[in-house]
Amino acid sequence: MTAEQQTGNHPYWVRPGRPARDDSVLPFLLERNAAETPHRKQFEFESGETWTCQQTLDKARSTAALFAEQGIAAGDFVLAWLPSGPDMIRSWFGLNYLGAVFVPLNVDYRGSILLHAIRESTAKVMILHPQLLERLDVLDELPLDRVLCVGDIPDPAKPLVRHEVPVRSTDLKTSLQPLTEPAPVNQWDLQMIIFTSGTT
């Protein structure tokens, strides 16, 4: 820790007062980490895949561009129904970089608790794992406008026929020009909504 990051005996993450945006808002943390320690390992996944700070920022920027191309904008609430891993991280960081609100759902949700969470979130877009797609079709009055499926759709001819919700398949990779700067979000702006029983 540098002297600049310390006030008296308080490290920067516990010092009194409002934290600086670069110390507390995710997109700006990613920018800071990539600028200060671009080659430091930031993530290591179960598969053995690793991301440096610079790679993490690059993935956030490119994923944000993909979401923007899908019509997601700053302030939008977006459900992410994915297992823990690179796709969940990319979705979280990409949405927040864009200024959208990340709303993760437990992959064990189904039936009434799933429908309740979707309705309560007020989100109109969901990002999900293809193996979870069939759980949506048994729900009543699904209040979504579209679904982005991270992987191949199990049955491309019949995705969500009951609800007529358009489903697009993606691997979160894109040839679009990545975004070059984060949305102007601040410490007081909503960035995430978490549904939890309180034990998380």
Side-chain angles (χ1 to χ4, degrees):
M1 184 186 312
T2 65
E4 291 78 12
Q5 291 173 317
Q6 206 161 353
T7 302
N9 293 323
H10 297 287
Y12 75 97
W13 62 87
V14 294
R15 67 185 172 213
R18 179 181 292 162
R21 185 173 67 172
D22 289 357
D23 294 333
S24 59
V25 181
L26 177 63
F28 297 96
L29 284 168
L30 298 178
E31 292 281 350
R32 186 196 69 190
N33 291 344
E36 293 179 357
T37 55
H39 303 296
R40 180 173 60 84
K41 183 167 65 176
Q42 190 158 41
F43 287 100
E44 182 172 359
F45 299 99
E46 188 176 6
S47 65
E49 180 182 3
T50 61
W51 298 354
T52 65
C53 291
Q54 183 62 57
Q55 289 170 328
T56 300
L57 175 62
D58 292 343
K59 291 176 190 297
R61 287 173 166 177
S62 64
T63 308
L66 173 68
F67 290 153
E69 194 266 341
Q70 290 292 315
I72 297 170
D76 287 352
F77 290 13
V78 181
L79 293 156
W81 201 22
L82 297 162
S84 298
D87 290 337
M88 181 60 109
I89 297 295
R90 287 190 72 151
S91 297
W92 173 13
F93 289 8
L95 289 169
N96 278 180
Y97 200 88
L98 189 58
V101 180
F102 172 67
V103 188
L105 294 181
N106 190 316
V107 292
D108 287 333
Y109 281 2
R110 62 185 71 233
S112 60
I113 191 171
L114 172 60
L115 184 58
H116 170 76
I118 293 171
R119 285 175 173 168
E120 285 295 305
S121 75
T122 71
K124 297 300 181 184
V125 180
M126 174 183 272
I127 305 162
L128 89 169
H129 189 278
Q131 292 181 2
L132 299 171
L133 192 59
E134 63 182 17
R135 290 193 210 167
L136 294 182
D137 234 0
V138 301
L139 300 180
D140 294 323
E141 300 178 13
L142 188 65
L144 294 173
D145 290 340
R146 60 193 182 282
V147 171
L148 194 59
C149 190
V150 182
D152 294 329
I153 300 169
D155 188 350
K158 298 181 179 181
L160 296 182
V161 169
R162 180 180 176 201
H163 296 290
E164 299 182 352
V165 175
V167 180
R168 178 177 174 185
S169 181
T170 181
D171 60 3
L172 297 182
K173 297 176 183 175
T174 178
S175 59
L176 296 168
Q177 185 69 28
L179 299 190
T180 56
E181 59 182 40
V185 291
N186 288 295
Q187 301 94 317
W188 48 86
D189 292 319
L190 186 61
Q191 290 277 279
M192 181 186 294
I193 297 174
I194 301 176
F195 290 90
T196 173
S197 64
T199 58
T200 302

